[in-house]
Amino acid sequence: MIRKFGIAFLCAGALLAQDGGDKATVPLTDPSRPAHIRVHLIEGGIIVHGGNVKDVLVEARSRSGGESHESRPPGAAGMKRLDLPGNAGLDVVEEDNVITIKTAAWNRPSDLVLTVPQRSSLQLKCLNNGDIYVEHVDGEIDADDLNGKITLKDVSGSVVAHSLNGAVHVSLDQVDPSKPMSFSTMNGDIDVTLPDSVKANVRMKTDNGEIYSDFDVKLGARSQSVPTESGRQQGGTYHLRFDRGLYGTINGGGPEYQFTSFNGQIYIHKKK
């Protein structure tokens, strides 16, 4: 059975206070099973708190885009703008413990604050004007932010985190020993803290930065050659490309963990 929760809220004034904004409590079909939560925002950020709860609390907080006199139409000179309600068009759907959350807002940022059961899997995506922040969640986390930073604090399970223009900070209390993980950004630092007992094969690459680690990383080949041919039989070219990444193992090796930045440092910490 699909349960749909449509919520409209005002986009006026400054960022709503902690107790302001619109809220919805979304019951799970089966609270004894983990929740799967998918959020896609065009404008705005996502904050997720894991806790000892059975339902999912969704809170929408609008931001004021401010009013620029330059953006006013000529006929509005000297007049006060009245903001229309329902600008964000928050839409929440629950089906068989899968909750999908999105908004129709594209011209003004709207932040979402979620309180979820600690055992939850998350698929979070932001495009503009917002960061992703998650804490105290145990499950599979897939976080993708085009123009913002990603912070995952005291989480457990497995992580795939990618930002195009922002830093990636992740602190894992426990890891799923069978799952690979990936941390990447084009423009920003990668800072990941792992349990001291973690076992992993690591691939680390940064084009314009350095790599640092608390772990005793046993390095293998510093580069791998990847040959490609184009019309070789007819006198074509032979191209040999060397990957600039570092490869190694932590505590004897395990699933592959990738750390990739183009413009940034890479820090791999041992949890204390």
Side-chain angles (χ1 to χ4, degrees):
M1 179 180 68
I2 299 176
R3 286 175 287 184
K4 185 170 183 177
F5 303 81
I7 305 171
F9 54 92
L10 295 173
C11 286
L15 180 65
L16 296 178
Q18 182 70 23
D19 58 351
D22 282 302
K23 300 179 181 180
T25 299
V26 183
L28 295 171
T29 300
D30 183 359
S32 67
R33 294 190 286 116
H36 295 262
I37 297 155
R38 303 169 180 168
V39 184
H40 185 185
L41 287 186
I42 297 175
E43 292 281 341
I46 303 169
I47 299 173
V48 181
H49 303 284
N52 185 23
V53 296
K54 293 183 178 180
D55 302 325
V56 174
L57 177 64
V58 182
E59 181 179 358
R61 299 177 179 176
S62 351
R63 299 185 210 163
S64 171
E67 186 177 7
S68 169
H69 290 286
E70 289 77 9
S71 65
R72 282 173 166 246
M79 303 180 74
K80 180 179 179 181
R81 188 182 70 187
L82 304 179
D83 292 316
L84 298 174
N87 222 19
L90 181 63
D91 195 311
V92 184
V93 176
E94 193 279 345
E95 181 180 14
D96 193 26
N97 275 40
V98 177
I99 296 178
T100 303
I101 304 169
K102 58 185 178 180
T103 73
W106 58 270
N107 58 343
R108 291 186 186 175
S110 299
D111 299 313
L112 293 181
V113 180
L114 312 179
T115 302
V116 305
Q118 187 169 359
R119 287 200 311 143
S120 295
S121 291
L122 308 176
Q123 184 178 352
L124 311 175
K125 186 170 185 178
C126 292
L127 294 183
N128 296 304
N129 291 316
D131 300 328
I132 293 176
Y133 178 89
V134 178
E135 65 177 4
H136 306 307
V137 170
D138 181 357
E140 297 182 9
I141 301 175
D142 185 343
D144 187 345
D145 200 327
L146 183 65
N147 291 304
K149 66 181 179 181
I150 296 173
T151 303
L152 311 180
K153 182 180 178 182
D154 299 329
V155 299
S156 297
S158 64
V159 170
V160 174
H162 171 71
S163 174
L164 185 65
N165 295 304
V168 173
H169 292 260
V170 178
S171 174
L172 280 146
D173 291 336
Q174 298 180 44
V175 301
D176 187 327
S178 66
K179 296 288 181 65
M181 292 197 281
S182 176
F183 313 90
S184 62
T185 177
M186 179 66 71
N187 297 302
D189 293 341
I190 295 174
D191 191 311
V192 177
T193 300
L194 299 168
D196 60 1
S197 61
V198 70
K199 298 178 181 293
N201 295 334
V202 291
R203 179 187 179 193
M204 304 158 288
K205 180 180 179 181
T206 175
D207 289 80
N208 297 295
E210 305 291 340
I211 301 171
Y212 302 90
S213 178
D214 293 332
F215 287 95
D216 182 12
V217 180
K218 185 177 180 180
L219 293 177
R222 295 183 64 86
S223 63
Q224 293 185 351
S225 59
V226 183
T228 59
E229 298 186 21
S230 177
R232 186 65 169 172
Q233 298 300 323
Q234 292 77 36
T237 61
Y238 181 83
H239 180 197
L240 189 64
R241 176 177 60 85
F242 285 84
D243 189 348
R244 299 185 63 227
L246 291 177
Y247 299 82
T249 60
I250 296 176
N251 293 326
E256 183 173 275
Y257 291 3
Q258 294 190 30
F259 304 83
T260 308
S261 177
F262 185 75
N263 290 310
Q265 317 295 337
I266 295 176
Y267 305 97
I268 306 173
H269 299 279
K270 183 187 297 184
K271 199 169 187 70
K272 298 178 181 179

